[in-house]
Amino acid sequence: MAKAAPHGSNVPPKIIVKKVYIEGGGGHHGGAWKVAYADFVTAMMAFFLLLWLLGATTEKQRKGLADYFAPTIMDQKKLGIGGHGPLGGESMMSNNKTGPKAAASLIASMGMPTKMESGGPQAGMGPKGSLRSTPASRQEDMKSFAKMSEQIKDKIMSSPDLAKLAKHVRFVPTDQGLRIDLVDDADYSMFASGTTMLDPRASELIGMIAGSIKGTDNPVMIRGHTDSVPFGDPRAMNNWMLATGRAEATRRRLALGGLPEARFERIEGVADREPMIENDPGDPRNRRVAITLLYRKGSFGQ
């Protein structure tokens, strides 16, 4: 850009040249370095997360994680699942036959018994199995259950509040032990409708039962039951959740009554799948909690 000369002067005008440099990628104000930095920070976060997992998990848990991300690859031909049809995915000349001659495959020597024998009513346990109670201990438990049930009945009838619940308590001998059913009806419910909150009288009853059975060694199983009346949104609440929650609420009340934690063998909810009134799944008497005193297990060789 030329600048005009001063008035009355023959000095030539000054010429100023302005050079503009355009840097590619926005120069130091560009975004490429930000992407690289974000990748670096992400990698460091993943690294520190890995270190935390290694320090916060056991060897067994780490092995489970490793197996999840690197599952064992099965040899489908050896397992006999390599194809369909009469030859099971093998050719007629194959030495690893998994079709109609499955006994010639490698899996046959591991998965097929060489001698077929018929099992009896005690198959898998046997008369000396550790999962079966001995005749002597079973007889002792039966006598103890009979005495205990009478004591509970007497305590119920001696209390004005609990006497009103006498018809809601049932003692049922089973193959597993003595089952104590706490049953609802149309006039009374052990729990607030649709919740796991125990009624005060039901809570007192379960506490009394805990005091009566805590002196024994029998394992305890608790099973929750509901009727078939559905909830509005089964994704938020359903009979499976309600039955399981009521069984757990009963366990907590028994524990507060002095029952040791080691005594609880199984806590489960079966929703409306085992109704007491089979011809009317919606009957309120199907709502119940079953506390079962199990027979004591024998030890191997007894």
Side-chain angles (χ1 to χ4, degrees), residues 224-228 239 242-243 246 271-273 281 286-288:
H225 301 261
T226 67
D227 54 30
S228 62
N239 284 326
L242 183 62
R246 288 181 172 180
D272 58 344
R273 296 304 189 265
N286 291 321
R287 300 193 305 262
R288 64 197 189 279

Side-chain angles (χ1 to χ4, degrees), residues 226-237:
T226 67
D227 54 30
S228 62
V229 178
F231 284 81
D233 186 359
R235 296 171 299 179
M237 187 64 175

Side-chain angles (χ1 to χ4, degrees), residues 257-273:
L259 207 63
E261 183 66 26
R263 292 278 302 278
F264 297 106
E265 182 79 6
R266 189 182 309 159
I267 310 297
E268 58 188 10
V270 295
D272 58 344
R273 296 304 189 265

Side-chain angles (χ1 to χ4, degrees), residues 45-276:
M45 182 179 66
F47 175 70
F48 286 116
L49 180 60
L50 175 62
L51 293 180
W52 176 80
L53 286 173
L54 292 176
T57 56
T58 63
E59 180 66 25
K60 185 176 181 180
Q61 291 172 330
R62 290 193 291 270
K63 186 178 184 305
L65 288 172
D67 291 342
Y68 175 80
F69 290 104
T72 303
I73 300 176
M74 297 186 300
D75 189 338
Q76 295 184 346
K77 291 185 178 181
K78 291 184 179 180
L79 292 178
I81 57 176
H84 303 283
L87 295 179
E90 295 288 343
S91 68
M92 296 181 65
M93 303 302 294
S94 175
N95 292 326
N96 184 33
K97 297 180 177 62
T98 57
K101 295 183 179 180
S105 65
L106 296 181
I107 194 64
S109 61
M110 296 184 291
M112 288 185 150
T114 56
K115 182 179 180 182
M116 299 299 295
E117 297 181 356
S118 59
Q122 297 180 344
M125 298 182 184
K128 296 183 179 181
S130 60
L131 298 180
R132 186 179 296 279
S133 60
T134 63
S137 66
R138 197 180 185 91
Q139 289 294 328
E140 292 177 1
D141 287 341
M142 293 176 66
K143 293 179 181 179
S144 175
F145 292 159
K147 182 178 179 180
M148 186 184 308
S149 61
E150 292 300 324
Q151 291 177 350
I152 294 176
K153 291 177 183 178
D154 292 340
K155 290 181 179 180
I156 292 176
M157 298 309 299
S158 62
S159 171
D161 291 335
L162 296 183
K164 301 176 182 178
L165 303 182
K167 65 177 182 179
H168 297 275
V169 183
R170 302 179 182 180
F171 299 87
V172 183
T174 68
D175 292 338
Q176 296 178 306
L178 176 66
R179 192 181 74 221
I180 306 174
D181 288 334
L182 307 181
V183 187
D184 290 356
D185 61 16
D187 300 322
Y188 177 76
S189 178
M190 298 284 175
F191 294 86
S193 179
T195 72
T196 60
M197 184 181 300
L198 275 167
D199 178 79
R201 285 185 295 172
S203 178
E204 182 182 356
L205 173 63
I206 296 175
M208 184 272 294
I209 293 176
S212 300
I213 67 177
K214 67 180 181 181
T216 65
D217 297 328
N218 301 88
V220 176
M221 178 179 70
I222 305 175
R223 176 175 289 184
H225 301 261
T226 67
D227 54 30
S228 62
V229 178
F231 284 81
D233 186 359
R235 296 171 299 179
M237 187 64 175
N238 54 54
N239 284 326
W240 289 103
M241 299 167 62
L242 183 62
T244 305
R246 288 181 172 180
E248 170 58 19
T250 303
R251 185 205 66 79
R252 290 197 302 268
R253 186 61 185 88
L254 289 173
L256 288 174
L259 207 63
E261 183 66 26
R263 292 278 302 278
F264 297 106
E265 182 79 6
R266 189 182 309 159
I267 310 297
E268 58 188 10
V270 295
D272 58 344
R273 296 304 189 265
E274 298 180 6
M276 178 180 295

